[in-house]
Amino acid sequence: MADESAKLIVYRNNDPWYELPVTEFDRYDEETGYYIYTVDLVAKEMADSVVSKVVTDDYNTFFNRVSLAGYCERILSDPVTYANEQDIVKAMLNYGAASQVYFGYNSNDLANKNIGKVDMDAVPVGGDPAVVTGDEIGINYYGASLVMNSKISLRLYFELADGADIKDYTFSVGYPVASKITADRSGYRVEIENIAPNMLAKDYSLQITKDGETMTITYSPMDSIQRQYHTGASQSLNNMLQALYNYHLAALAHTPAV
């Protein structure tokens, strides 16, 4: 840590991914004496091999190969110590594997290949449309989608009335989301990002304010899952939606939503 040239090099599936100065590790654990860094992986990357190497100008000193799927398998191999984690880990690996198949990513090495068959509940029929309340302020809601290629996010789509300017509107879901407003097709979209699996049934209310008047759109990611699953989606998408639904159930049982 005293060597300013020291850096961490991370490879994913044998390809260089990023470099990080060791001085920028997330934190230091005084109890273990370990420095800690975090690698963000999305669902389809659970089986990816991640290699970490710390180097200085003079030598290489640390080399390690891990995968999220491999770590999960170690948890599953010890059902006594990790009794409360068995169901959620299996459900997570199933979701990861279904994501690999749907997105055509590393599908020859599925995250759930070593855990055996896992029974899944059916996705219930239902899914309410978004509820729009409040004032007419020159902006119209016209749809929603669930983003699963990255961290789970809910996108809400809007179009402006003639003469309206997006800069005149304030967007909030309990915190400002102006930085997540993106031009999209004939209008704009707002993204509510990084929704935890146990929070998929939560209603998210987006408030849009202009000149003291407010319009509110309330919608749940679970509504989107149910509606999409039962409207003729492809089999691979339905498999991923069902796996995500069951991951939600396991996550909810493990960590109740707040």
Side-chain angles (χ1 to χ4, degrees):
M1 296 301 289
D3 187 340
E4 293 183 358
S5 70
K7 61 185 176 182
L8 175 79
I9 303 178
V10 180
Y11 301 82
R12 186 172 62 185
N13 295 336
N14 299 319
D15 295 323
W17 192 7
Y18 65 83
E19 295 185 3
L20 178 71
V22 296
T23 53
E24 295 182 13
F25 281 9
D26 292 352
R27 62 187 177 90
Y28 174 70
D29 188 318
E30 294 185 356
E31 183 176 345
T32 63
Y34 292 151
Y35 290 90
I36 298 171
Y37 70 96
T38 299
V39 174
D40 286 326
L41 297 170
V42 298
K44 67 180 183 180
E45 297 167 344
M46 289 185 195
D48 282 9
S49 170
V50 178
V51 174
S52 310
K53 181 167 59 176
V54 174
V55 301
T56 71
D57 286 339
D58 300 321
Y59 57 88
N60 299 343
T61 184
F62 174 78
F63 187 88
N64 189 38
R65 182 184 299 272
V66 297
S67 74
L68 179 57
Y71 174 73
C72 289
E73 288 174 9
R74 291 199 295 275
I75 291 176
L76 294 176
S77 69
D78 188 356
V80 175
T81 304
Y82 299 105
N84 293 332
E85 283 69 44
Q86 298 294 299
D87 289 344
I88 188 173
V89 167
K90 289 178 182 178
M92 184 177 71
L93 290 176
N94 269 349
Y95 173 51
S99 297
Q100 289 174 260
V101 173
Y102 178 73
F103 291 110
Y105 179 87
N106 196 20
S107 56
N108 292 323
D109 185 24
L110 296 179
N112 66 349
K113 64 182 180 182
N114 293 323
I115 69 171
K117 186 178 184 300
V118 177
D119 293 331
M120 291 196 294
D121 291 349
V123 177
V125 175
D128 295 326
V131 176
V132 181
T133 57
D135 302 307
E136 294 288 340
I137 53 176
I139 188 169
N140 300 311
Y141 165 79
Y142 69 84
S145 66
L146 198 64
V147 181
M148 293 170 283
N149 194 27
S150 58
K151 297 177 180 179
I152 300 171
S153 302
L154 182 64
R155 284 180 181 167
L156 303 175
Y157 298 89
F158 303 90
E159 57 187 4
L160 295 177
D162 290 342
D165 189 331
I166 194 69
K167 297 185 181 66
D168 295 332
Y169 295 87
T170 299
F171 297 79
S172 173
V173 287
Y175 53 87
V177 291
S179 62
K180 305 304 177 187
I181 298 172
T182 309
D184 187 273
R185 292 175 286 184
S186 60
Y188 295 85
R189 70 171 187 250
V190 177
E191 195 152 321
I192 303 169
E193 291 187 307
N194 200 18
I195 299 171
N198 64 330
M199 301 295 286
L200 289 174
K202 173 183 170 62
D203 286 332
Y204 290 86
S205 292
L206 174 70
Q207 291 188 329
I208 307 173
T209 302
K210 178 185 177 185
D211 297 331
E213 297 183 310
T214 298
M215 179 175 75
T216 300
I217 298 93
T218 301
Y219 198 51
S220 165
M222 189 57 64
D223 288 327
S224 180
I225 291 172
Q226 291 176 262
R227 291 167 69 87
Q228 196 166 6
Y229 184 88
H230 292 286
T231 53
S234 68
Q235 188 60 54
S236 61
L237 177 55
N238 270 2
N239 289 343
M240 183 172 66
L241 290 168
Q242 184 180 13
L244 178 57
Y245 172 71
N246 280 266
Y247 182 25
H248 161 72
L249 295 180
L252 197 60
H254 183 272
T255 308
V258 293

